[in-house]
């Protein structure tokens, strides 16, 4: 059995790997986990001993095949819990991440499968993140682009909001921006501010927020 902290590290390594496509450095993981580098180094040693990561000095770490299986199991639990909390218990989509973080380490595979059945085996969670299926296979990914790379006049639909912190999710929820919402890009300011029209009105988003939003052209979304 892995501890909850070990699982959190595996999930973090998986997230960083998928964001950057590169091996994960100690300082990068320390920033992500909000802990010190010595704390990270100690935990990486434990994960390496269990065969869950491949670790090379000065080159960082990557998950082994076994480590990736563990990561996908955790993500399946987490994302199904987020979906269940949103759809069955009326949680706001911006508030479920922290709750699912607490629960993901304690749900059995049997309960996870019952949740999936009740929900109709969804392919994505409330943030648009893909949910691994019972065989831990991810659904085919739709081609998307970040809102921060859009051009003025683009009309897009929000497909996914990358999680960086609960404050960012609440910021977007308060702005009326969530998966499934259509946006029109009105202005790209020289200093990175992206102004969009939402169903609730105009919103100006800092670049660091806009880059969390994955979109597809509305014409493709309707196809």
């Amino acid at each position: 059995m892995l501890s909850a902290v070990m699982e959190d590290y595996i999930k973090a390594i998986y997230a960083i790997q998928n964001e950057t496509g590169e091996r994960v450095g100690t300082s990068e993981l320390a920033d992500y986990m909000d802990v010190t580098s010595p704390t990270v180094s100690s935990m990486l040693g434990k994960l390496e001993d269990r065969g869950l990561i491949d670790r090379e000095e000065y080159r960082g770490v990557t998950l082994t095949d076994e480590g990736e299986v563990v990561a996908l199991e955790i993500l399946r639990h987490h994302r199904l819990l987020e979906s269940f909390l949103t759809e069955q218990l009326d949680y706001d989509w911006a508030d479920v991440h922290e709750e699912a973080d607490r629960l993901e380490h304690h749900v059995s595979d049997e309960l996870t499968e019952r949740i999936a059945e009740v929900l109709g085996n969804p392919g994505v969670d409330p943030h648009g993140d893909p949910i691994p299926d019972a065989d831990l296979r991810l659904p085919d990914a739709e081609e998307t682009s970040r809102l921060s790379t859009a051009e003025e006049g683009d009309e897009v639909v929000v497909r996914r909001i990358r999680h960086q912190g609960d404050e960012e999710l609440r910021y977007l929820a308060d702005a009326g921006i969530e998966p499934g919402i259509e946006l029109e890009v009105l202005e790209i300011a020289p200093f990175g501010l992206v102004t969009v029209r939402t169903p609730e009105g105009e919103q100006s988003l800092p670049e660091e927020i806009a880059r969390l939003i994955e979109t597809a052209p509305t014409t493709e979304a309707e196809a």
Side-chain angles (χ1 to χ4, degrees):
M1 292 289 292
L2 298 177
S3 69
V5 175
M6 287 180 173
E7 290 185 348
D8 285 341
Y9 271 84
I10 291 170
K11 188 171 67 170
I13 294 168
Y14 181 90
I16 298 171
Q17 276 185 187
N18 278 269
E19 179 73 17
T20 66
E22 300 177 356
R23 298 177 73 90
V24 181
T26 299
S27 59
E28 188 177 16
L29 189 54
D31 289 342
Y32 191 96
M33 298 290 293
D34 195 24
V35 296
T36 65
S37 291
T39 298
V40 170
S41 295
S42 175
M43 178 56 70
L44 292 181
K46 296 175 183 178
L47 295 177
E48 184 180 26
D49 290 343
R50 288 175 175 257
L52 299 172
I53 62 169
D54 175 71
R55 189 182 187 190
E56 293 185 23
E57 191 172 7
Y58 307 120
R59 294 194 63 238
V61 304
T62 187
L63 293 175
T64 62
D65 289 345
E66 184 179 353
E68 186 164 341
V69 167
V70 172
L72 290 170
E73 288 177 340
I74 299 166
L75 288 178
R76 178 166 171 78
H77 291 177
H78 180 96
R79 293 172 179 175
L80 282 170
L81 283 166
E82 288 188 330
S83 299
F84 183 81
L85 290 168
T86 302
E87 295 184 24
Q88 300 295 317
L89 300 182
D90 295 327
Y91 274 68
D92 191 284
W93 71 275
D95 298 329
V96 293
H97 181 80
E98 187 175 338
E99 195 71 54
D101 267 345
R102 287 191 287 265
L103 295 171
E104 67 189 15
H105 308 294
H106 308 293
V107 293
S108 66
D109 289 339
E110 180 181 357
L111 178 56
T112 299
E113 297 317 311
R114 292 196 179 193
I115 290 173
E117 185 177 352
V118 166
L119 297 176
N121 295 298
V124 296
D125 72 7
H127 308 116
D129 292 320
I131 300 175
D133 66 15
D135 296 319
L136 302 182
R137 296 173 302 197
L138 289 167
D140 293 336
E142 178 183 12
E143 186 173 346
T144 59
S145 58
R146 303 295 178 106
L147 183 62
S148 55
T149 66
E151 298 181 355
E152 292 181 5
D154 285 353
E155 295 183 359
V156 299
V157 61
V158 177
R159 284 305 195 203
R160 183 179 186 182
I161 295 177
R162 295 273 185 169
H163 181 262
Q164 293 295 316
D166 291 343
E167 289 184 7
E168 288 87 349
L169 294 181
R170 175 47 54 195
Y171 179 98
L172 288 169
D174 290 344
I177 297 174
E178 60 185 79
I181 291 295
E182 293 188 5
L183 307 174
E184 179 184 358
V185 181
L186 301 176
E187 183 181 8
I188 308 293
F191 46 86
L193 200 65
V194 180
T195 300
V196 297
R197 179 180 289 116
T198 79
E200 297 181 8
E202 292 186 14
Q203 294 288 342
S204 294
L205 307 173
E207 184 176 9
E208 62 268 22
I209 295 293
R211 71 176 303 276
L212 302 179
I213 303 170
E214 294 188 16
T215 67
T218 52
T219 51
E220 291 184 11
E222 294 167 359

